[in-house]
Amino acid sequence: MSLKDRLVEDMKVAMKAKEEGKVRLSVIRMVRAAIKNAEIEKHIEFNDDQVIEVLARELKLRRDALEVFGKADRPEKVNALEEEIAILKEYLPQQLSEGEIRQLVQETIAAVGAQTPKDLGKVMGALSPKTKGRADGKVVNLIVREMLGA
């Protein structure tokens, strides 16, 4: 079953669940709309990898908003965003642990022959396809900078 089909099925279940499924239904509808808009923009039907990119983008938006609302002392918004993030994570591939990210970074640094902080772009360019949808880009970037001594 494709990811888009799974979203449709989960949306149906959430609609039947009435009150308990309101947040889930809202998040699934929002994600489906974002996928549809991206498909219209690119004039293609998305496969699972492209759907994962949209999901990762939506997750990143919520994480950034979570940070802002946390600083603004808005606990009700923080709780709502945390719930949305948990729902979005269900549709993404298993996230990489910090140790796994560090291993990938080491392998990539060796593969591209990076030695100085100036090589950050080369490393990130080679690393991005390996971590897309499986790790937060900020975390990956911080680990790469740390390992390159930046």
Side-chain angles (χ1 to χ4, degrees):
M1 173 186 289
S2 77
L3 205 44
K4 284 170 47 175
D5 293 338
R6 183 172 158 215
L7 283 166
V8 171
E9 292 305 313
D10 287 355
M11 186 175 76
K12 289 177 187 176
V13 170
M15 286 202 278
K16 290 176 185 171
K18 303 270 189 232
E19 276 309 303
E20 308 86 50
K22 275 198 170 179
V23 174
R24 177 173 289 283
L25 179 60
S26 166
V27 171
I28 292 172
R29 282 183 170 161
M30 173 274 311
V31 166
R32 290 191 65 230
I35 292 166
K36 191 68 177 164
N37 288 337
E39 284 178 335
I40 289 169
E41 185 180 305
K42 298 206 191 253
H43 305 290
I44 59 170
E45 184 83 16
F46 277 11
N47 62 28
D48 277 357
D49 290 338
Q50 293 161 317
V51 170
I52 287 172
E53 285 180 31
V54 174
L55 286 165
R57 187 169 48 242
E58 292 296 323
L59 182 66
K60 182 182 181 327
L61 287 173
R62 270 145 197 82
R63 281 187 176 147
D64 293 346
L66 185 70
E67 206 174 289
V68 171
F69 285 121
K71 288 179 183 172
D73 196 29
R74 300 276 310 271
E76 71 286 348
K77 279 293 207 180
V78 168
N79 292 339
L81 284 168
E82 285 173 344
E83 199 172 342
E84 288 182 16
I85 288 170
I87 292 168
L88 286 170
K89 282 183 174 181
E90 293 175 23
Y91 297 98
L92 287 168
Q94 179 67 36
Q95 298 294 296
L96 296 170
S97 69
E98 186 175 334
E100 291 170 320
I101 294 171
R102 287 184 181 282
Q103 179 68 34
L104 276 173
V105 169
Q106 280 181 327
E107 291 169 3
T108 306
I109 287 173
V112 298
Q115 296 174 344
T116 67
K118 290 181 182 179
D119 298 324
L120 178 73
K122 281 196 283 186
V123 175
M124 288 302 292
L127 197 56
S128 287
K130 298 174 187 174
T131 61
K132 188 165 284 295
R134 297 174 55 209
D136 185 6
K138 286 181 183 176
V139 173
V140 174
N141 191 303
L142 286 171
I143 292 172
V144 170
R145 285 178 185 276
E146 175 190 316
M147 294 182 128
L148 288 176

